[in-house]
Amino acid sequence: MLVTVIEVEHYTDKLFRVRTQRPQSFRFTAGEFTMIGLPDMNITRAYSFTSGPGDDYIEFYSIKVPNGPLTSALQHIQVGDSLEVGERTTGTLTLANIELGGDLWLLATGTGIAPFISILRDPSTYDCFENIHVAWSVRTRDELNSYSDFLSEMPIDYTPIVTQDKSWTGFNKRITTKISAGVLLPKLDPSTNKVMICGSMDFNTDIKTMLNQYNWREGNKRSAGTFVQEKAFVEK
């Protein structure tokens, strides 16, 4: 379906956000993704929604890949332009695929924060867990500009991590390092904690390996688990 762009915001030379009108008939679940593209290009890529399922707009968060088949053009989109958004939505990072109760940990690197913004914009999320923790790791502090204010205002425990910026005075070690040190996810107990993972394939694999050592079980569309990961991120 073609939808009209109503807002574009660039945060760095590599990151931007696109918001469009939303048809009243369009439905999706928090944490899902769909395929998007430009009407004059025969290329689509998977993007997670950052908008919540009850919002009256559709929103996506994107990197700008040098010479990327889609983002080389998508980064120049303007208000009033059209965006092609797939009507079929899917994804593993949904509450249906994870056991409910206890504490929920959302672990993200880079633009992997996108589906978690959607999940946190869904009021029903907060009814399903006792506490919600978000750890978001980026390379430079400017990369936090997109959603850090939103995360700071939500009723969650938010930990921003910047790994390659000497001006940053907060946490600067990788999420895996913080878990190993007991700073994040201090009790690796799947009976009291649930985990969602979204980032690079290496990051996802490292966290999964760590959890498997403590007998966590990965969820999918057939069976809810104690952790889930999103594997749909590709260069755009």
Side-chain angles (χ1 to χ4, degrees):
M1 63 181 179
L2 283 179
V3 290
T4 302
V5 175
I6 58 174
E7 194 174 304
V8 179
E9 186 169 3
H10 295 263
Y11 300 103
T12 71
D13 59 352
K14 296 180 180 179
L15 295 166
F16 67 107
R17 173 180 60 86
V18 177
R19 183 177 290 188
T20 75
Q21 294 177 333
R22 176 178 177 174
Q24 292 184 350
S25 60
F26 184 64
R27 299 288 185 270
F28 65 91
T29 298
E32 287 188 324
F33 67 88
T34 191
M35 305 301 290
I36 74 170
L38 294 170
D40 56 346
M41 299 177 65
N42 191 28
I43 297 171
T44 59
R45 292 290 186 268
Y47 274 81
S48 293
F49 297 96
T50 54
S51 46
D55 291 334
D56 60 1
Y57 56 85
I58 303 171
E59 185 180 275
F60 302 101
Y61 184 43
S62 180
I63 56 174
K64 306 174 187 178
V65 178
N67 301 315
L70 177 60
T71 57
S72 58
L74 183 63
Q75 65 183 291
H76 300 296
I77 200 167
Q78 297 180 3
V79 172
D81 290 346
S82 294
L83 185 69
E84 182 74 40
V85 176
E87 295 188 53
R88 180 179 179 272
T89 66
T90 189
T92 55
L93 289 178
T94 66
L95 297 188
N97 296 335
I98 197 166
E99 294 180 5
L100 307 181
D103 281 18
L104 174 64
W105 293 79
L106 307 177
L107 309 179
T109 62
T111 54
I113 194 65
F116 298 152
I117 299 300
S118 178
I119 289 170
L120 293 170
R121 281 175 164 163
D122 183 353
S124 66
T125 299
Y126 302 90
D127 298 329
C128 297
F129 303 95
E130 294 178 17
N131 302 288
I132 298 176
H133 310 265
V134 176
W136 181 21
S137 177
V138 298
R139 293 185 177 87
T140 65
R141 64 189 305 161
D142 288 348
E143 295 176 51
L144 296 173
N145 291 341
S146 52
Y147 295 105
S148 198
D149 286 348
F150 166 80
L151 292 168
S152 298
E153 294 168 357
M154 301 307 291
I156 61 174
D157 170 35
Y158 168 48
T159 303
I161 300 171
V162 179
T163 60
Q164 299 179 24
D165 192 328
K166 293 181 179 179
S167 68
W168 178 254
T169 57
F171 286 126
N172 59 7
K173 301 297 183 182
R174 297 179 184 276
I175 290 176
T176 48
T177 302
K178 290 296 182 183
I179 293 176
S180 297
V183 177
L184 297 174
L185 197 55
K187 295 181 180 180
L188 285 165
D189 182 356
S191 69
T192 57
N193 295 280
K194 306 300 180 289
V195 173
M196 290 184 163
I197 312 163
C198 193
S200 68
M201 288 303 296
D202 287 344
F203 172 75
N204 286 13
T205 299
D206 288 346
I207 299 293
K208 177 180 178 178
T209 299
M210 188 176 295
L211 295 178
N212 282 341
Q213 293 173 350
Y214 289 85
N215 299 315
W216 292 61
R217 180 170 51 83
E218 184 171 3
N220 53 49
K221 292 184 178 298
R222 296 180 300 277
S223 176
T226 50
F227 80 96
V228 290
Q229 61 172 321
E230 185 56 79
K231 305 173 183 178
F233 279 81
V234 295
E235 281 199 349
K236 301 171 176 72

